C-alpha cells in the first residue's frame, strides 16, 4: 500500500545545470584584489573601504534572510547594534577581548532573531508587515539603549585605546591590519551565505520564497526554516556591528540602532543583488563609491549621493530587479548563448 | 477494499457566518480512486485543505489510519504521505523543474543527491524529463500542472489528492493526463482522491464518487449510481443530463 513508483531509481546521475561557479571565482578574485589594494595605492581612503567592507559583510548577513528566504527584514540594525554594544561593553567594562564580545553579541542577536521570528510565524506576520515589525524591534532597542545607564544612555560606550594592544584587542598600529580583518569578515559572510544557499536549508528557503503554501505542501517546515535562517543572519550581522564599534572605537544608540542603519544594510544587498553571493559586496562597493564621488564632485548639492543612489535604485528595480549582480548574470547568459551559436 | 486509510469525522468549517463544511464524514479506502465532485462553492477545496492540514477545522477530526492528525501542520502531513496539488498551481518559478520536485523529495528522503534522482525519475514519468533543467517560469499551463503532479508524487504519497488537475487543459492534454493518472495509480498503489469538474474524467478514473453540495455529502457511490441519482442530477448536473 505504501509502495510507490519512485523507489530506488537506478544510480544514474543526471545533474541538470550544476550551478556555474563563476560567481565564486569572481568573488575570490575581487576579495584577493581588495586584500592587496592597500599595498599599492594611497592610504587615505583605507578607512572608507574598511567600513565599506564591514558593511559588505553585514549586508551578506542580511541577504541570508532577506535574499534567500523571501522575508524582508528591515530591522537588522537591531543585530548590528547588539554586536556593537556587546563588543564595546565586554572590552571597555570587563577588559576582555572584543572578539569574545563579538561572540556574546552573536549569541544575543541570534536569540533575539529566533524569538522575533517565532512570534512572526505564530501570528502570520509576513511581507511588508514583517518589514515594519522588524523595524519596530530595532527602534525598541534604540530607545532601550538610550535609557539604560549600563549602556551610557545617549552618550553610548567608548572603546578605550589600550597600551600594547594587538590583534587580540582588535587594535592595530598599522591601519592595514583592520582593513584585512574587514576583508576577512566580508569573505566569511559570503562563504556562509553560499553554504546556506547550497545546503538543504537553502533549498527549503528557495521553495518558501517561491510560494509558502506549496512549500508546506512539499513537506517543508516553514517555521523552523525561517527561525533558523533569521538566527544565522542575525549572528553574521552582529559580527559586523562588533567590528564596526571596535574600528570607530565608539558606539551609541544612533550609530547602532537607527532606522537608517537598517535601511543602509538592506539597500546595499538589494542594490547588488540579494540572492547572489557577490551581490552585497558589489552593492556595498557601489554605494560607497557613489557617496565618495558625489561628495568629491558634487559638493554644491549636499545630498547628491542620496539623489544619485535613489535614481540608481529606481533604474535597477525597473531593468534589473536582481541588482547589479543580476546584470552580470544576464550578460553571462547572453554570452553563452552567443557562443552556443558559433 | 474496505480498509479505511484516511477519514474526516464530523468536520465543520466556518468562515465567519459561512458554513463551508457541515457535519461532514468522509472515508478514503485502501486501493480506491475516489472522485469528489460538486458545484462551485460546495466545499471541495475546503475539504482538501482540511485533509491536507492547510486549514484547521472549526470542529471535527481528521484520522490517518486511525491516528488523530487534526492538529498536525501541512508540512507534517506531507511528510506522513498526505500529498495534494493546488487548484491554482504555483510552482517555484525561479527554480529549475528538477529542484521544484527535489525539494519535496528531500523532505522525506535521504540527501540531496537521492532527491535529485527521484526528481529526475518523476519528471520522466510526467513527460517533462527533457525540460528538467529549465526554469518553472518557462513552462506553459499544462506543463505546470504536470510539474505539480510530479511535485506531489515526490513525498511518496499514501494519499494523493489532485485538485482540478484538468482544469484549463485542452482536450488532448486532458487525455494525456488521464492516461498518466491511470498509470500512476496502477504503479504507485497510493490512494487517489480527485476533485474534478470534468465529469467525463471522473467517470473514467474513479471507483467511487462523493458528491458535495453546500458543505454536505449529497451522494456517495459508484459513478454509475451517483450520476444516475435524481437528487444529484437536480442539484448539480442540471436537467440536460437527466435525458442523456
Amino acid at each position: 500500500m505504501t509502495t510507490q513508483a519512485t523507489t530506488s531509481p537506478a544510480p544514474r546521475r543526471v545533474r541538470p545545470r550544476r550551478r556555474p561557479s563563476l560567481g565564486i571565482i569572481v568573488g575570490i578574485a575581487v576579495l584577493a584584489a581588495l586584500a592587496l589594494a592597500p599595498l599599492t595605492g594611497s592610504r587615505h581612503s583605507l578607512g572608507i573601504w574598511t567600513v565599506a567592507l564591514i558593511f559588505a559583510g553585514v549586508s551578506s548577513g542580511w541577504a541570508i534572510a532577506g535574499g534567500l528566504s523571501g522575508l524582508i527584514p528591515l530591522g537588522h540594525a537591531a543585530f548590528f547594534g547588539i554586536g556593537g554594544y556587546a563588543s564595546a561593553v565586554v572590552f571597555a567594562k570587563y577588559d576582555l577581548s572584543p572578539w569574545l564580545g563579538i561572540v556574546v553579541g552573536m549569541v544575543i542577536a541570534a536569540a533575539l532573531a529566533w524569538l522575533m521570528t517565532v512570534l512572526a510565524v505564530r501570528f502570520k506576520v509576513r511581507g511588508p508587515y514583517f518589514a515594519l515589525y522588524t523595524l519596530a524591534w530595532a527602534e525598541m532597542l534604540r530607545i532601550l539603549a538610550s535609557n539604560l545607564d549600563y549602556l551610557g544612555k545617549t552618550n553610548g560606550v567608548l572603546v578605550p585605546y589600550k597600551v600594547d594592544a594587538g590583534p587580540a584587542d582588535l587594535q592595530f598600529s598599522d591601519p592595514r591590519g583592520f582593513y584585512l580583518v574587514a576583508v576577512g569578515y566580508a569573505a566569511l559572510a559570503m562563504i556562509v551565505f553560499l553554504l546556506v544557499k547550497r545546503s538543504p536549508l537553502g533549498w527549503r528557503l528557495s521553495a518558501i520564497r517561491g510560494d509558502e503554501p506549496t512549500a508546506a505542501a512539499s513537506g517543508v517546515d516553514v517555521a523552523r526554516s525561517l527561525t533558523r535562517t533569521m538566527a544565522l543572519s542575525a549572528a553574521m550581522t552582529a559580527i559586523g556591528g562588533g567590528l564596526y564599534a571596535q574600528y570607530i572605537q565608539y558606539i551609541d544608540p544612533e550609530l547602532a540602532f537607527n532606522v537608517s542603519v537598517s535601511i543602509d544594510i538592506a539597500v546595499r544587498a538589494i542594490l547588488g543583488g540579494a540572492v547572489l553571493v557577490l551581490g552585497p559586496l558589489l552593492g556595498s562597493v557601489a554605494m560607497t563609491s557613489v557617496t565618495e564621488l558625489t561628495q568629491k564632485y558634487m559638493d554644491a548639492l549636499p545630498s547628491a549621493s542620496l539623489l544619485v543612489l535613489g535614481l540608481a535604485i529606481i533604474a535597477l528595480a525597473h531593468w534589473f530587479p536582481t541588482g547589479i549582480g543580476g546584470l552580470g548574470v544576464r550578460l553571462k547568459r547572453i554570452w553563452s548563448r552567443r557562443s552556443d551559436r558559433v | 477494499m474496505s480498509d479505511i486509510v484516511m477519514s474526516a469525522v464530523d468536520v465543520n468549517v466556518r468562515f465567519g457566518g459561512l458554513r463551508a463544511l457541515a457535519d461532514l464524514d468522509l472515508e478514503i479506502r485502501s486501493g480506491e480512486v475516489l472522485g469528489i465532485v460538486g458545484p462551485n462553492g460546495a466545499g471541495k477545496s475546503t475539504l482538501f485543505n482540511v485533509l491536507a492540514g492547510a486549514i484547521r477545522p472549526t470542529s471535527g477530526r481528521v484520522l490517518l489510519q486511525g491516528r488523530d492528525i487534526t492538529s498536525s501542520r501541512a508540512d507534517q502531513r506531507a511528510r506522513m504521505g498526505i500529498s495534494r496539488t493546488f487548484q491554482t498551481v504555483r510552482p517555484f518559478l525561479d527554480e529549475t523543474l528538477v529542484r521544484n520536485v527535489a525539494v519535496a523529495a528531500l523532505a522525506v528522503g535521504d540527501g540531496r543527491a537521492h532527491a535529485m534522482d527521484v526528481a529526475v525519475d518523476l519528471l520522466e514519468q510526467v513527460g517533462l524529463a527533457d525540460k528538467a533543467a529549465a526554469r518553472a517560469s518557462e513552462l506553459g499551463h499544462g506543463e505546470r500542472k504536470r510539474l505539480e503532479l510530479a511535485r506531489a508524487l515526490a513525498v511518496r504519497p499514501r494519499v494523493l489528492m489532485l485538485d482540478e488537475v484538468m482544469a484549463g487543459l485542452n482536450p488532448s492534454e486532458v487525455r494525456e493526463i488521464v492516461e498518466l493518472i491511470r498509470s500512476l495509480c496502477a504503479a504507485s498503489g497510493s490512494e487517489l482522491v480527485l476533485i474534478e469538474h470534468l465529469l467525463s474524467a471522473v467517470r473514467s478514473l474513479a471507483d467511487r464518487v462523493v458528491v458535495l453540495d453546500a458543505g454536505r455529502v449529497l451522494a456517495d457511490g459508484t459513478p454509475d449510481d451517483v450520476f444516475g441519482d435524481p437528487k444529484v442530477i437536480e442539484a448539480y448536473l442540471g436537467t440536460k443530463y437527466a435525458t442523456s
Side-chain angles (χ1 to χ4, degrees):
Chain A
M1 191 186 63
T2 55
T3 50
Q4 33 103 19
T6 60
T7 37
S8 56
R12 76 204 143 91
R13 288 266 180 271
V14 191
R15 275 303 113 77
R17 198 189 299 220
R18 182 86 186 93
R19 280 289 155 78
S21 49
L22 190 70
I24 301 171
I25 295 163
V26 176
I28 292 167
V30 169
L31 284 167
L34 282 169
L36 296 173
L39 301 179
T40 59
S42 68
R43 288 189 197 177
H44 84 278
S45 57
L46 200 59
I48 291 159
W49 292 106
T50 303
V51 173
L53 280 166
I54 291 174
F55 271 90
V58 169
S59 200
S60 290
W62 179 88
I64 292 170
L68 298 180
S69 78
L71 293 172
I72 315 163
L74 213 51
H76 264 50
F79 316 127
F80 180 82
I82 286 171
Y85 269 103
S87 79
V89 166
V90 163
F91 185 60
K93 297 206 184 216
Y94 301 99
D95 201 25
L96 293 167
S97 166
W99 291 106
L100 181 68
I102 286 174
V103 173
V104 171
M106 288 170 76
V107 171
I108 299 173
L112 177 73
W114 180 84
L115 175 69
M116 273 165 74
T117 315
V118 164
L119 291 173
V121 168
R122 171 70 188 75
F123 296 105
K124 296 193 164 64
V125 182
R126 286 294 196 288
Y129 298 102
F130 187 80
L132 293 175
Y133 167 80
T134 46
L135 192 143
W137 275 93
E139 272 300 280
M140 266 161 35
L141 290 184
R142 187 179 65 83
I143 292 161
L144 189 70
S146 307
N147 288 285
L148 273 182
D149 273 330
Y150 181 69
L151 298 179
K153 293 192 170 177
T154 51
N155 291 326
V157 180
L158 268 169
V159 176
Y161 272 113
K162 201 173 164 185
V163 194
D164 346 304
D169 308 300
L170 264 171
Q171 290 181 6
F172 301 86
S173 49
D174 186 333
R176 284 178 297 187
F178 212 111
Y179 177 85
L180 287 177
V181 170
V183 172
Y185 167 56
L188 175 72
M190 285 162 67
I191 290 166
V192 170
F193 174 92
L194 201 66
L195 288 177
V196 173
K197 186 176 177 176
R198 296 193 162 180
S199 70
L201 177 63
W203 285 29
R204 297 191 179 104
L205 292 176
S206 172
I208 293 168
R209 190 171 78 229
D211 187 64
E212 222 177 282
T214 307
S218 308
V220 171
D221 188 337
V222 175
R224 197 160 66 158
S225 304
L226 291 182
T227 45
R228 284 181 176 187
T229 303
M230 276 292 285
L232 184 59
S233 168
M236 290 311 297
T237 303
I239 300 176
L243 292 178
Y244 182 72
Q246 295 303 316
Y247 184 66
I248 65 167
Q249 301 198 296
Y250 176 64
I251 193 76
D252 74 14
E254 300 306 320
L255 287 171
F257 298 119
N258 195 295
V259 178
S260 64
V261 177
S262 292
I263 293 173
D264 186 281
I265 293 168
V267 165
R268 282 170 201 262
I270 294 165
L271 196 67
V275 293
L276 302 165
V277 62
L278 268 182
L281 179 66
L282 288 175
S284 200
V285 169
M287 201 150 139
T288 301
S289 306
V290 167
T291 312
E292 291 306 310
L293 289 174
T294 49
Q295 268 168 16
K296 200 166 175 187
Y297 297 108
M298 294 169 76
D299 54 348
L301 200 60
S303 47
S305 69
L306 292 177
L307 188 73
V308 173
L309 272 175
L311 288 173
I313 289 166
I314 292 169
L316 275 171
H318 187 75
W319 284 294
F320 301 101
T322 44
I324 302 168
L327 184 79
V329 171
R330 197 185 290 189
L331 285 175
K332 202 186 84 196
R333 264 190 216 150
I334 292 169
W335 177 254
S336 60
R337 220 171 288 158
R338 188 165 297 164
S339 52
D340 282 349
R341 231 178 280 149
V342 174
Chain B
M1 274 305 272
S2 62
D3 275 359
I4 295 164
V5 177
M6 194 178 178
S7 54
V9 183
D10 202 18
V11 164
N12 283 279
V13 174
R14 289 191 191 84
F15 298 122
L18 179 79
R19 224 170 162 197
L21 292 178
D23 307 326
L24 186 122
D25 289 295
L26 182 84
E27 287 171 353
I28 297 165
R29 295 168 197 156
S30 177
E32 74 174 354
V33 175
L34 169 66
I36 296 176
V37 298
N40 283 327
K44 303 184 297 284
S45 288
T46 306
L47 176 60
F48 262 33
N49 283 332
V50 168
L51 295 176
I55 58 177
R56 199 71 67 85
T58 317
S59 68
R61 291 183 304 151
V62 178
L63 307 176
L64 178 68
Q65 284 172 326
R67 194 175 136 210
D68 192 330
I69 56 163
T70 316
S71 58
S72 45
R73 297 185 311 263
D75 60 287
Q76 292 170 323
R77 291 196 203 183
R79 294 195 296 274
M80 290 173 197
I82 302 169
S83 187
R84 58 94 56 96
T85 67
F86 287 89
Q87 192 178 349
T88 312
V89 180
R90 280 186 303 243
F92 314 128
L93 293 175
D94 294 337
E95 285 295 350
T96 58
L97 301 202
V98 72
R99 270 282 295 274
N100 263 269
V101 180
V103 72
L106 183 69
V108 292
D110 27 33
R112 284 167 290 171
H114 180 71
M116 281 293 215
D117 290 338
V118 170
V120 170
D121 244 39
L122 285 168
L123 286 172
E124 208 165 279
Q125 288 186 42
V126 300
L128 288 172
D130 53 325
K131 294 195 171 177
R135 273 165 215 283
S137 56
E138 296 164 28
L139 294 188
H141 185 67
E143 291 171 322
R144 286 183 191 194
K145 293 260 178 183
R146 281 189 281 161
L147 173 63
E148 177 80 345
L149 197 56
R151 185 194 60 70
L153 284 165
V155 298
R156 287 186 231 149
R158 282 193 273 182
V159 177
L160 175 62
M161 305 191 285
L162 305 180
D163 195 346
E164 302 205 358
V165 277
M166 286 162 242
L169 300 186
N170 65 42
S172 77
E173 285 174 324
V174 168
R175 246 193 322 276
E176 264 176 44
I177 214 151
V178 166
E179 280 312 309
L180 181 61
I181 292 169
R182 270 230 181 88
S183 68
L184 291 175
C185 290
S188 73
S190 54
E191 329 316 326
L192 191 69
V193 184
L194 275 175
I195 284 185
E196 198 46 71
H197 270 307
L198 218 59
L199 294 181
S200 58
V202 174
R203 229 186 241 268
S204 70
L205 284 169
D207 304 312
R208 184 164 70 102
V209 175
V210 167
V211 183
L212 288 189
D213 187 35
R216 290 169 199 279
V217 174
L218 187 70
D220 180 347
T222 65
D224 287 341
D225 289 348
V226 164
F227 292 128
D229 187 338
K231 222 168 33 178
V232 174
I233 294 168
E234 191 192 319
Y236 175 42
L237 301 174
T239 46
K240 193 183 96 190
Y241 280 82
T243 52
S244 65

